[in-house]
Amino acid sequence: MPGIALVLGAGGSVGHAFHAGVLTALAEVRGWDARQADVIVGTSAGSVVTALLRAGMPPTDLLKRGSRQPLSVEGAAIVRRAGLGPPRRRPPRPRPSGSMASPARLARAARAPWAVTPGSLAAAVLPVGEVPSADIAVPFDNLYGDAWPSRTTLIVAVQLDTGRRVAFGRPGAPPARVSDAVRASCAIPAYFEPVEIDGHRYVDGGVHSTTNADLVAGERPDLVLVSAPMSAARGSLRFDPSSALRRFAGLSLAREVAGLRARGITVVAFQPTARDLDVMVGDALDPAKFAPVSARARETVGQRLARRDVAARLAALG
């Protein structure tokens, strides 16, 4: 039975930075290396971090690389193998054009409205994304080729034309290269072009849920750690353009956590505090936000990890 499951949610470059801060704090305060996780579930930005961890990137080097600090020897070797350059700003979001991305999905929804998730319906109704994403795949082609990590690794995307959530790497899922699975998981609707795998078009796994923590239930881990950049800690939300989305993401995460706890699984979720949100607000794809966001998350999560009640729930980390 797996001991530790790690869930890394969506959130763009800012989400990547939040993950880096969370995992660095866990390494520094608890001495836990996220590469040791028995199960990792990655969605969108979380899929990128997942693939880097499974390739051997030390968690603290995730923060150092994004903040342009010197890497460890081990981390520098991974960066060289991957051919990773410095984080770059993504192309500006194009003005929506064209017809809806998937009339077929709309027709399916009309026939079975009880099975519709709001995100998958929105992805179908929005215009199809046009920004190429091939560059996202290149580092993971270099690191993995056709191989898949030996430890349980799930990368989440959604079939655009059916609304079905797919966890690549799970038994029964379509075969995929890590590079293609990451591209698919990161394919933000109406922004990035959908990614075709095994005859189906895929978009961002955050369309179903920004975390997809429920996927670890069948693994029966002792402890689930969730890094959820797109929701917010209780009492942290104030009005801004992203508050409605954060509230929705928080409700979805709460349902997933309740389901896991109902099975007797300990869950610790790290969500942005009000202090984190002060530096996270704005363009989620802006790499200039990486250093302040990761540093703030490292600080706030480190403070939380020092609390006795949290330490007791993390006993499985050793």
Side-chain angles (χ1 to χ4, degrees):
M1 180 175 72
I4 312 296
L6 176 63
V7 175
L8 300 170
S13 299
V14 166
H16 188 150
F18 184 80
H19 294 320
V22 170
L23 299 179
T24 295
L26 283 164
E28 293 175 339
V29 178
R30 294 292 311 189
W32 184 70
D33 188 329
R35 293 175 295 179
Q36 299 171 356
D38 299 282
V39 179
I40 308 183
V41 176
T43 300
S44 198
S47 74
V48 173
V49 177
T50 294
L52 288 171
L53 289 172
R54 286 306 199 212
M57 176 73 87
T60 52
D61 280 332
L62 293 169
L63 185 148
K64 291 175 182 175
R65 175 180 172 268
S67 304
R68 306 199 179 199
Q69 300 173 24
L71 303 182
S72 69
V73 172
E74 195 174 11
I78 296 292
V79 168
R80 283 195 301 272
R81 281 177 50 212
L84 281 166
R88 294 178 298 162
R89 180 183 287 274
R90 289 288 170 196
R93 186 182 293 272
R95 182 170 296 179
S97 62
S99 57
M100 68 177 65
S102 180
R105 174 63 182 138
L106 202 61
R108 285 173 180 266
R111 292 195 298 269
W114 58 87
V116 174
T117 57
S120 69
L121 191 59
V125 172
L126 289 168
V128 68
E130 298 177 354
V131 175
S133 60
D135 61 321
I136 294 175
V138 172
F140 304 110
D141 272 330
N142 294 338
L143 289 170
Y144 289 98
D146 293 330
W148 193 269
S150 56
R151 285 188 170 184
T152 304
T153 303
L154 307 181
I155 294 177
V156 187
V158 170
Q159 286 181 354
L160 177 59
D161 298 308
T162 67
R164 176 189 170 212
R165 176 177 66 173
V166 173
F168 292 105
R170 199 178 200 182
R177 293 161 63 93
V178 170
S179 56
D180 289 333
V182 170
R183 272 185 71 207
S185 189
C186 292
I188 302 169
Y191 180 70
F192 283 122
E193 59 189 6
V195 175
E196 186 167 324
I197 298 174
D198 197 33
H200 291 280
R201 295 187 299 166
Y202 288 89
V203 292
D204 197 311
V207 161
H208 181 90
S209 162
T210 62
T211 44
N212 293 291
D214 57 306
L215 286 172
V216 305
E219 305 292 334
R220 301 291 296 180
D222 300 310
L223 171 67
V224 179
L225 302 174
V226 184
S227 178
M230 290 190 70
S231 56
R234 184 177 299 177
S236 298
L237 274 179
R238 48 183 174 269
F239 179 78
D240 68 59
S242 69
S243 59
L245 178 58
R246 288 190 179 279
R247 199 175 304 279
F248 183 81
L251 290 171
S252 178
L253 174 60
R255 288 193 295 270
E256 293 165 6
V257 169
L260 293 171
R261 288 176 175 161
R263 292 170 172 254
I265 299 170
T266 300
V267 183
V268 178
F270 299 99
Q271 303 174 78
T273 66
R275 293 194 66 238
D276 296 317
L277 292 175
D278 284 341
V279 293
M280 293 176 77
V281 68
D283 182 4
L285 298 181
D286 183 0
K289 301 178 80 63
F290 194 106
V293 170
S294 59
R296 183 64 58 82
R298 176 188 189 181
E299 176 189 350
T300 57
V301 172
Q303 291 169 351
R304 186 177 174 204
L305 292 173
R307 288 169 30 189
R308 287 187 180 180
D309 61 322
V310 176
R313 292 160 61 200
L314 296 175
L317 296 182

